[in-house]
Amino acid sequence: MKLNQLLRIIFVLLGIVGITFLIPISVALCLGENQVISSFLIPMIIVILLGIASIYVGRKKSLRISMRGAFIVAALSWISASFLGAIPLFTSGSVTTFTDAFFESVSAFTTTGATIINDVESLPNAINVWRCLMHWLGGMGIVALTVAFMPLLGVGGFQLIKAETTGPEKGKVTPKITNTAKILWFIYFILTALQTVLLLISGLNFVDAISIAFSTLGTGGFALKNASIGAYNSASVDWICIVFMVLAGINFSLYYYAVTGKIQDIIDNTELKVYLGIVVLFSVGIAIFILPRFGSFLTALRYAAFQVGAIITTTGFATDDYIQWAYPAQFLLFLLFFTGACSGSTGGGIKIIRWVILSKQGSNEIRKMLHPHGIFSIQLNGKVGRKDVVFNVAAFLYFYFFLLFITTFIGTFANLDLLTSFTGALSTLGNVGPAFGALGPTCNYSSLPAFLKWWYSFVMLAGRLELYTMMIYFTGAFWKK
């Protein structure tokens, strides 16, 4: 892939992201926060002009992207978008160093929600809206957003989607990948609008409502209050967020099936059944353990379900300090750091489907010991699954835990205790946000040294892009022709 072709795609992507600067600019104009407008306006004009120029320069030549080129485009797209997102944070004075601005931007786009800002309530509303909007853009996928506009460049986008999409299997909802991207973004928009309306009805103002919706559907976790969602002290707000966090953790292809009447495909979906089962069982189990803290089972269930939804979907919101909960409840939450939500959702983490595949393969291995000559296959969604998916999952988990332990080790050089270092690695790699210890739900990442913030930024990007897209550059095979 030639450099000029790569730059064309990157500049178009940045131009699309730049257009979204109009949202925080509008907030700033409406609320009289004129001091931050230039921080958005200047970079917006630059990247939009670059994007327009990229569309028209060489528009008569179609682009062909190899799998190698797709990995390069996907990785550079997320890195360049993160740099662009950091500019308003830094130039507005909301953060003091570019390291912090880049960390915050990466955390936002990767929907991790790990913040370095100690007092978010002191920030201009426009900046807070931008922080949450980055969640929303990154949730469905920056590349997926660009793919919807790929016909402008005369290039197909399936290879790019494969390099970005979460889960062990990549597919199309419709024959044309650009139509798939548009449909999924439309569903995403409708769900966001619906949650915003419900939050408005529950008593929140528009800025808070739409910002929370951005963070919830993007499974990000940034909020406009220092105490996160707990600051609103509202059962209705909590339950609305619980419902939409769980919805955001479902494979978005299933929503398309629902719209087109393919209900049986939804009913047969193995991952969905396991995901919903975990949410229900863990919520009830944790509610029992924390019942003495809240007195009422319904109240305990509300707090338990909220935290279960926040962690399994990697949203990272909080309504209470779960480090103060009973140890069995903490342990159950700790297990959720290893799961993630469904493949094809906006959530991060390992994903439910991978654990399902491994558990089924483990069961098959035991059956083979009893029946050496038997032939056993993995059943997924009522159908026989491909055998090579097992190898894909095994390789993914190897890289996942390898990077997890490396990140834990690096964290100890920042004088983090072992619990904080390990769960901090779990949180950043799984795009969760809060962790345990010194990085718990009432703490943040501001006190970490610069080297660890840059490493965590890499880890967050690697986790969001399913590891391979970022780690492939460290293999000799990638650089050989």
Side-chain angles (χ1 to χ4, degrees), residues 355-380 383-387 390:
W355 292 117
V356 171
I357 290 171
L358 283 186
S359 66
K360 287 179 176 290
Q361 182 60 25
S363 176
N364 283 346
E365 293 300 326
I366 292 175
R367 293 165 66 191
K368 283 182 180 179
M369 293 176 66
L370 298 174
H371 307 283
H373 301 293
I375 299 175
F376 305 99
S377 59
I378 292 176
Q379 296 284 329
L380 293 174
K383 303 175 183 177
V384 177
R386 301 195 330 264
K387 291 183 179 180
V390 177

Side-chain angles (χ1 to χ4, degrees), residues 239 242 245-246 279 283 286-287 300-310:
W239 283 112
I242 290 168
M245 281 191 291
V246 173
V279 170
S283 296
I286 291 174
L301 181 63
R302 168 184 141 207
Y303 281 92
F306 188 97
Q307 212 56 64
V308 167

Side-chain angles (χ1 to χ4, degrees), residues 38-324:
S38 60
S39 297
F40 290 101
L41 186 61
I42 295 173
M44 182 188 75
I45 293 174
I46 293 173
V47 294
I48 288 178
L49 290 176
L50 287 173
I52 293 173
S54 297
I55 291 174
Y56 284 95
V57 173
R59 62 185 181 277
K60 295 182 180 180
K61 298 180 180 179
S62 61
L63 300 180
R64 298 182 64 86
I65 301 178
S66 64
M67 199 63 239
R68 187 194 306 262
F71 280 119
I72 294 174
V73 171
L76 290 183
S77 294
W78 282 81
I79 293 171
S80 57
S82 297
F83 271 105
L84 177 61
I87 291 174
L89 301 178
F90 180 62
T91 57
S92 66
S94 299
V95 295
T96 55
T97 68
F98 191 78
T99 294
D100 283 352
F102 185 72
F103 178 93
E104 191 81 4
S105 181
V106 170
S107 179
F109 275 120
T110 60
T111 73
T112 305
T115 185
I116 48 80
I117 298 174
N118 291 308
D119 183 12
V120 297
E121 294 179 34
S122 67
L123 297 178
N125 285 284
I127 293 295
N128 270 328
V129 168
W130 173 237
R131 292 170 66 241
C132 297
L133 178 58
M134 284 189 283
H135 279 331
W136 193 76
L137 295 172
M140 185 56 67
I142 297 173
V143 172
L145 178 62
T146 306
V147 165
F149 294 89
M150 279 302 181
L152 295 173
L153 293 173
V155 58
F158 186 55
Q159 300 284 42
L160 293 177
I161 289 291
K162 288 177 67 177
E164 180 187 67
T165 304
T166 62
E169 295 193 88
K170 324 293 183 181
K172 303 178 183 179
V173 170
T174 61
K176 291 187 176 181
I177 196 65
T178 53
N179 290 339
T180 296
K182 291 173 184 177
I183 289 170
L184 296 182
W185 270 97
F186 178 74
I187 294 171
Y188 193 44
F189 177 83
I190 293 299
L191 288 174
T192 305
L194 179 58
Q195 187 187 2
T196 301
V197 171
L198 292 175
L199 289 172
L200 287 171
I201 294 173
S202 70
L204 270 59
N205 63 55
F206 180 75
V207 172
D208 282 38
I210 196 169
S211 297
I212 292 173
F214 284 154
S215 291
T216 305
L217 269 300
T219 63
F222 283 161
L224 277 64
K225 305 293 183 183
N226 295 326
S228 190
I229 305 302
Y232 300 104
N233 193 29
S234 168
S236 60
V237 171
D238 289 355
W239 283 112
I240 290 170
C241 289
I242 290 168
V243 170
F244 281 90
M245 281 191 291
V246 173
L247 290 176
I250 294 174
N251 190 323
F252 270 70
S253 298
L254 299 184
Y255 294 120
Y256 176 77
Y257 295 154
V259 172
T260 54
K262 299 179 180 179
I263 305 301
Q264 193 60 46
D265 288 337
I266 301 173
I267 296 173
D268 292 338
N269 190 270
T270 305
E271 185 180 32
L272 177 63
K273 289 184 282 190
V274 175
Y275 167 66
L276 295 178
I278 291 174
V279 170
V280 173
L281 290 176
F282 274 61
S283 296
V284 173
I286 291 174
I288 293 172
F289 289 123
I290 64 175
L291 182 57
R293 179 178 178 88
F294 296 100
S296 161
F297 180 76
L298 185 59
T299 302
L301 181 63
R302 168 184 141 207
Y303 281 92
F306 188 97
Q307 212 56 64
V308 167
I311 292 180
I312 194 172
T313 65
T314 72
T315 306
F317 281 146
T319 51
D320 193 41
D321 184 4
Y322 56 75
I323 292 179
Q324 304 300 320

